[in-house]
Amino acid sequence: MDPMKVEVKKIDELFRLDGYLKPFEREIRRRHGVLREWISKIDQLEGGMDTFSQGYKHYGLHFQQDNSVIAREWAPGAQQVYLTGDFNNWQWEAHPFKKLDFGKWELHLPANPDGSAPIRHLSEVKVIIRNQAGHLLDRLSPWATYVRQPPKEANQGVNFKQYVWNPPPTERYLCKHARPKRPKSLRIYECHVGIASQEPRVGSYQNFADNIIPRIKRQGYNAIQVMAVMEHAYYASFGYQVTSFFAASSRCGTPEELKRMIDVAHENGLYVLLDVVHSHASKNVQDGLNQFDGTNSCFFHDGARGEHSLWDSRLFNYMEYEVLRFLLSNLRWWHDEYYFDGYRFDGVTSMLYHSRGIGEGFSGDYNEYFGLNVDTDALNYLGLANYMLHMQNPEVITIAEDVSGMPTLCRPVDEGGIGFDYRLAMAIPDKWIELLKECSDDAWNIGNIVHTLTNRRWKENTVAYAESHDQALVGDKTIAFWLMDKEMYTHMSTLSEPSLIIDRGIALHKMIRLITHALGGEAYLNFMGNEFGHPEWLDFPRVGNNDSYHYARRQWNLVDDPLLKYKFLNEFDRAMNELEERFGWLHSDPAYVSWKHEGDKIIAFERAGLVFVFNFHPTQSFTGYRVGTNWAGTYQAVLSSDDELFGGHNRIDKSCKHVTRREGYAGRENFFEVYTPSRTAVVYAHVSD
């Protein structure tokens, strides 16, 4: 059959899944046509996407077999380009590049007379740009793979410097373990290597590999999402102001140490996601991409379209051929060189809307997604990125940080979608924080909670989470801190006097996480430390806090101390993940909610052969409470948030069997009766017919 006819038929699937897309069919097909034109253009000019997306093998510094060195750059606005550094005693104009077509520049450095390379491992280098006004400007190569900030005692300023990373074979880390398969149920541990240390300093790749990965594995997560890997000059930016896109953050160690960390993760069966920032870039000039060729454009739009006023950063020009090569090659680099398995794309909503000045408020009107307010250049780039990544490795996972709910974002490219595998359910953490800030427990709207947890697009997968790094940052509070606040300083000991605030906090912390895990999506995410209710907030060293690391670390001693109640939350988190591994609700069909009672504050639903019962009432427990189910037979509790192991009151007898009665209830064919204590969640499994 004609491939084009097959593709047209696949695009028709979009309109079968969502009939409300039909009025926008012309725009959807037009966007897909533009994407196909770009793919065809790349095929014709480059010989295929595989070559085009490996620009890192062409640009930057490359050592040849005879120890000569070839350097290449793209600097369309430059009058002349030079390479300087330790190798030529910093003679800025001693080694000019040869100008090629399309703004490309190339330099050949022969091997030394003794056969050694003219540039040594860890030599400092710079690219020198002569702009159109004739001025010489020092820059770091956009393709630099290792950059470092000078130590304070060196008195060399704060700008990062580029160093050649070309260690001898004996010092290169060789991966020993195969990549894990793409998980059916994705349970993500969101983490930041720098704050993973318990000590008040920047954590290392070595520390993370040796001490943190075993914790993650024990908790039952099967994926890690690593933040702030791409080099960023400003540590307090949390990695979102990237300055060197191909360089692993040197604060945490060397490139070889990062490779080992990822290899250790693979050894432990963890799928490794990179938090990638292609939505914008730092405004830094001397150690960033900004004004690399001496102009205000190059990698970015000139004028207002190239500025993000809220983030004070630069916006990429996604229609520029070499910018697409740079960004797509950046994705390939992290996959091919470091063995990252997948990606979370930061700021997708900003890419699609903020670059045109549109805010983050979305009504759900489809005209918002298919009108002139969408940056279709950015949308095209995201489609190209997903097409390339999934073509290159079918096991890759891509996640969109998207708050807009744009239809087709998480449908395959050949269906006319943008190709993401998941999007973040960003409304869920907002809802929990809103409830904890503004409502007492007895005023919680049960129907609204269920709506928020289930309001997602059919057949477009969602990553559910109760809180992420966003809620942990200074200026906000984690769920644990909203629930227990200053009481955490005085009543988290198992030896301290009982506290109603702590009792409530521990109970709701468990319930909020379980209902989010089981009802909120097709994947689950937790930010490092939140699994055990890490107190306080995150605050990176900065001028405003006297460069303190006190809040830029994780206090693992709290969960390791058997006399502290943090262990209860940690054990529940582990049990929750282990139960999901056993029953696989994340890769099952969405839950059927059979009961949501405002007065009783009870929610009941079925998913993956399990029946979940949540009693959010602050004081009322119920005996003989009917729970509907379509699966007749005998049920038994397999997880109770009220277990003593989890800091509960042991009010659920898990040995008790509950036999269904064939009598319609709550829209289901059968029901069974349970005891549901206040502020308790219980999961029942079908144990026999």
Side-chain angles (χ1 to χ4, degrees), residues 173-178 263:
Y173 185 82
L174 300 178
C175 293
K176 304 175 181 67
H177 304 282
D263 197 32

Side-chain angles (χ1 to χ4, degrees), residues 667-680:
R668 312 309 275 162
E669 295 177 359
N670 314 276
F671 73 86
F672 60 94
E673 295 181 341
V674 301
Y675 172 48
T676 174
S678 63
R679 289 185 180 142
T680 297

Side-chain angles (χ1 to χ4, degrees), residues 380-484:
N380 181 69
Y381 163 67
L382 294 173
L384 283 172
N386 278 299
Y387 171 83
M388 180 275 291
L389 289 170
H390 290 92
M391 177 191 71
Q392 186 257 339
N393 181 6
E395 294 290 312
V396 80
I397 290 174
T398 58
I399 302 170
E401 186 196 38
D402 169 60
V403 73
S404 76
M406 172 179 273
T408 78
L409 192 69
C410 297
R411 294 303 300 170
V413 168
D414 60 5
E415 278 187 15
I418 309 305
F420 284 101
D421 298 287
Y422 298 87
R423 61 154 51 88
L424 294 181
M426 301 181 73
I428 295 176
D430 291 345
K431 174 55 63 177
W432 289 125
I433 297 300
E434 173 193 320
L435 289 173
L436 296 173
K437 285 173 68 173
E438 301 176 8
C439 299
S440 60
D441 301 13
D442 55 2
W444 284 13
N445 186 317
I446 294 299
N448 187 249
I449 291 172
V450 171
H451 173 75
T452 303
L453 289 166
T454 57
N455 182 27
R456 55 187 184 271
R457 292 192 57 76
W458 176 245
K459 294 293 185 182
E460 295 197 33
N461 292 337
T462 296
V463 179
Y465 59 108
E467 55 186 335
S468 70
H469 67 276
D470 288 326
Q471 287 71 40
L473 289 171
V474 65
D476 205 340
K477 295 181 182 180
T478 63
I479 286 177
F481 221 51
W482 277 114
L483 287 166
M484 296 176 278

Side-chain angles (χ1 to χ4, degrees), residues 66-68 87 95 109-119:
D66 64 356
N67 275 339
S68 63
F87 75 98
H95 289 89
L109 295 175
N112 291 326
D114 63 1
S116 61
I119 304 178

